[in-house]
Amino acid sequence: MNIAFVGTGVMGHSMAGHLMAAGHELSIFTRTKSKAESLLKAGARWAETPADAADGAEMAIAIVGMPEDVEDVFLGDHGLLAAATPPPIIIDMTTSPPSLARRIAKTASQRGVSAIDAPVSGGDIGARNATLSIMVGGETPAVATALPVLELMGRTIVHQGPAGSGQHTKMVNQILIAGGMLGMCEGLRYAEKAGLDGHKVIESVGGGAAGSWSINNLGPRILERDFEPGFFIEHFLKDLSIAIREAEAMSLDLPALTMAKAFYERAVSEGLGHKGTQALQLLMESGDS
Amino acid sequence: MNIAFVGTGVMGHSMAGHLMAAGHELSIFTRTKSKAESLLKAGARWAETPADAADGAEMAIAIVGMPEDVEDVFLGDHGLLAAATPPPIIIDMTTSPPSLARRIAKTASQRGVSAIDAPVSGGDIGARNATLSIMVGGETPAVATALPVLELMGRTIVHQGPAGSGQHTKMVNQILIAGGMLGMCEGLRYAEKAGLDGHKVIESVGGGAAGSWSINNLGPRILERDFEPGFFIEHFLKDLSIAIREAEAMSLDLPALTMAKAFYERAVSEGLGHKGTQALQLLMESGDS
């Protein structure tokens, strides 16, 4: 299949590679051309704009950064939907606002195009190993057509509902993580103050009702004072901000999410935006009396 | 071994049964004698007080309710340590304050007795299947002697440190759960408001970085409006209250834990104390605008 692919950052690069390995022909646009180099060498075509990449393609996929990037890539003057002959299916795999996903879907339908929102979880490792969880929103026929392509990039692929539902599901994912992260950091702070050996504590609690991916994977990193990013605080804050805005629009008060967002805002203002989400621990420590 | 066993409630009954099945001879005291009936029929000796149960025994184990019950059972006029010939090892498997565990250990040592705190997680199912996680505090020789007995009741048994360390570890367990519970309930509220199918959402998020025991086990119960107790809110609130008092004593501010405690206090005041911890969801719903 001829696929336009926009955004070959850490995640997108691996994902595009899987599509090419399966025999798909890619037209690539990404902000920093050098990041696409190895894909171009492997035979992908370079495009000067998203519209150029999309023109005549059978499908377009984007995974970029911030909501304004998504808006630009899909709806901008040189965006995917501005292609002379846009592809019948366009897929946003960025984590971006559900309301934006619905707006893209509406604009797309006016051009006879089906838009799918399909944000992922699983990080760079999941992208590399094609084990991502892909949360899909969109109309059923388009999702069915996209499925074989999505299956090249992920393992758990669930159609959640109409346009925006994939993004909403990703928001739930981030809300769960936010609460868990608060509990984890507070628990490990308590353990340290109580003079416990954090590794032994995780051995006791990680397999039971208190168990979570976070405590078993990020907990040990915190204990080893490893605050390097699996997932950037900066990106997590973007997601939490989207979640809070969407919740407000639904008249939903989420106090723990609000608390987590405030912590991560402080983290960014203290220069920790490029640390991993587990660096919440550093903030909690600095707040101690 | 001749073992005194105090407290044959839902947890204790199963645990005492495992000890008897392994050939130990039990002397039992519990507040409501009828709850010990099947154990007495199976050959356990009834004792009129904890002191009576403990007299001449080689080990004493208690799993009761509130901190004041623990104080009574261990330190009271008719408590385990008031036995004419107290056992050389006494074990508190109740979740109770680390500071109380240290006080019991101190009083015990004055009578030449080693005290161990060994609270558990895993609930009634873990007690029934002897798969509990047992978090152990106490001196190494006593813990080594107790280990074969503890192994009859649990699967993950970790010696965390000196007296009080088992209770501190259990506090970490509850702090982790509290944060995770906030995230889970907020996430599922969001999912509902967004019109998502909660079961599909859990399918997408439960196996990745947002995954936890709570979302995978309590999440589906919430979706099915099943708020019956795995673990009573009333008991969880007791634990969170202990955790907060201990944290305060260590000059540790735990805002998410404080938030969770406030929610569960409201739950109890609204008559939900005998519902399961997942009934936090009901409170969040009632607080919606």
Side-chain angles (χ1 to χ4, degrees):
Chain A
M1 199 185 281
N2 192 334
I3 300 175
F5 200 101
V6 177
T8 54
V10 176
M11 305 282 293
H13 194 282
S14 296
M15 293 157 73
H18 295 312
L19 301 185
M20 291 181 69
H24 294 294
E25 288 161 30
L26 262 54
S27 303
I28 291 180
F29 171 80
T30 197
R31 205 156 43 188
T32 310
K33 188 175 176 178
S34 61
K35 290 190 178 172
E37 207 160 311
S38 70
L39 295 165
L40 299 174
K41 272 189 189 152
R45 178 180 81 84
W46 176 251
E48 291 297 333
T49 64
D52 176 24
D55 194 27
E58 293 160 82
M59 190 178 286
I61 294 172
I63 179 159
V64 292
M66 305 299 285
E68 49 271 30
D69 302 325
V70 172
E71 192 155 356
D72 231 40
V73 164
F74 283 83
L75 305 174
D77 289 345
H78 304 286
L80 296 167
L81 287 170
T85 310
I89 294 175
I90 58 174
I91 307 175
D92 181 21
M93 303 189 76
T94 321
T95 296
S96 60
S99 49
L100 176 55
R102 285 195 300 272
R103 193 146 55 86
I104 291 171
K106 200 175 163 192
T107 308
S109 78
Q110 288 160 358
R111 291 217 61 188
V113 172
S114 296
I116 291 172
D117 49 302
V120 304
S121 82
D124 51 345
I125 295 170
R128 200 156 53 235
N129 300 335
T131 56
L132 294 168
S133 170
I134 307 181
M135 298 157 251
V136 186
E139 297 310 319
T140 302
V143 170
T145 305
L147 195 60
V149 175
L150 297 175
E151 281 171 343
L152 298 172
M153 300 180 281
R155 190 162 52 189
T156 307
I157 302 164
V158 183
H159 184 198
Q160 294 288 348
S165 302
Q167 297 295 353
H168 272 314
T169 303
K170 181 66 189 281
M171 291 301 116
V172 176
N173 190 79
Q174 304 305 65
I175 294 168
L176 292 172
I177 291 177
M181 205 69 77
L182 289 171
M184 176 177 68
C185 289
E186 292 193 356
L188 292 180
R189 289 293 294 129
Y190 180 105
E192 190 194 351
K193 283 265 184 178
L196 300 172
D197 174 335
H199 293 285
K200 281 190 190 171
V201 170
I202 292 174
E203 193 185 339
S204 273
V205 306
S212 66
W213 187 93
S214 292
I215 189 67
N216 290 310
N217 288 276
L218 299 180
R221 292 194 208 169
I222 289 174
L223 297 174
E224 285 144 27
R225 312 300 292 169
D226 171 5
F227 297 110
E228 291 314 300
F231 192 61
F232 283 123
I233 281 181
E234 193 174 79
H235 294 163
F236 194 51
L237 177 59
K238 175 200 79 170
D239 297 354
L240 299 189
S241 302
I242 294 171
I244 288 209
R245 272 197 304 274
E246 295 282 333
E248 279 169 359
M250 300 186 289
S251 302
L252 193 58
D253 180 33
L254 302 177
L257 175 63
T258 304
M259 181 186 287
K261 177 168 169 270
F263 269 115
Y264 282 112
E265 270 166 352
R266 189 150 70 77
V268 168
S269 77
E270 291 185 10
L272 298 173
H274 285 189
K275 295 291 179 190
T277 48
Q278 75 274 22
L280 171 59
Q281 191 77 0
L282 293 172
L283 283 185
M284 289 200 169
E285 288 171 3
S286 73
D288 277 1
S289 53
Chain B
M1 199 184 281
N2 192 333
I3 300 175
F5 200 102
V6 177
T8 54
V10 177
M11 304 281 295
H13 194 281
S14 296
M15 293 157 73
H18 295 312
L19 301 185
M20 291 181 69
H24 295 293
E25 288 160 31
L26 262 55
S27 305
I28 290 179
F29 172 81
T30 198
R31 203 155 45 187
T32 311
K33 188 174 176 180
S34 62
K35 291 190 178 174
E37 206 161 311
S38 70
L39 295 165
L40 298 174
K41 272 188 189 152
R45 179 180 82 85
W46 175 251
E48 290 297 333
T49 64
D52 175 25
D55 195 26
E58 294 159 82
M59 191 177 287
I61 294 172
I63 180 160
V64 293
M66 304 300 284
E68 49 270 30
D69 302 324
V70 172
E71 191 154 357
D72 230 42
V73 164
F74 282 83
L75 305 175
D77 289 344
H78 303 286
L80 296 168
L81 287 170
T85 309
I89 294 176
I90 58 174
I91 306 175
D92 181 22
M93 302 189 77
T94 322
T95 295
S96 60
S99 48
L100 177 55
R102 286 194 301 271
R103 192 146 57 85
I104 290 171
K106 201 175 163 193
T107 308
S109 78
Q110 287 160 0
R111 291 216 63 188
V113 172
S114 295
I116 291 171
D117 49 302
V120 304
S121 82
D124 51 346
I125 295 169
R128 199 156 56 234
N129 300 336
T131 55
L132 295 167
S133 170
I134 307 181
M135 299 157 251
V136 186
E139 299 310 319
T140 302
V143 170
T145 306
L147 195 59
V149 175
L150 296 176
E151 281 170 344
L152 297 172
M153 299 180 281
R155 189 162 54 189
T156 306
I157 302 164
V158 183
H159 183 198
Q160 294 287 349
S165 303
Q167 297 295 355
H168 272 314
T169 302
K170 180 65 189 281
M171 291 301 116
V172 176
N173 191 78
Q174 304 303 67
I175 295 167
L176 293 172
I177 290 177
M181 205 67 79
L182 289 172
M184 175 177 68
C185 290
E186 291 194 356
L188 292 180
R189 286 294 293 129
Y190 180 104
E192 190 194 351
K193 282 266 185 180
L196 299 173
D197 174 336
H199 293 285
K200 282 191 191 171
V201 171
I202 293 174
E203 194 185 339
S204 272
V205 306
S212 66
W213 187 93
S214 291
I215 189 67
N216 289 310
N217 289 275
L218 299 180
R221 290 193 209 170
I222 289 174
L223 296 175
E224 284 144 26
R225 312 300 291 171
D226 170 6
F227 297 109
E228 292 313 301
F231 192 62
F232 283 122
I233 281 181
E234 193 175 80
H235 294 162
F236 194 50
L237 177 59
K238 175 199 78 169
D239 297 354
L240 299 190
S241 303
I242 294 172
I244 288 210
R245 272 197 301 274
E246 295 282 333
E248 279 169 358
M250 301 188 286
S251 301
L252 194 58
D253 180 33
L254 302 178
L257 175 62
T258 304
M259 181 186 288
K261 176 168 170 271
F263 268 115
Y264 283 112
E265 271 166 351
R266 191 151 69 79
V268 168
S269 78
E270 292 185 11
L272 298 172
H274 284 189
K275 295 291 178 188
T277 49
Q278 75 276 19
L280 170 59
Q281 190 77 0
L282 293 172
L283 284 185
M284 289 201 170
E285 288 170 4
S286 73
D288 276 2
S289 51

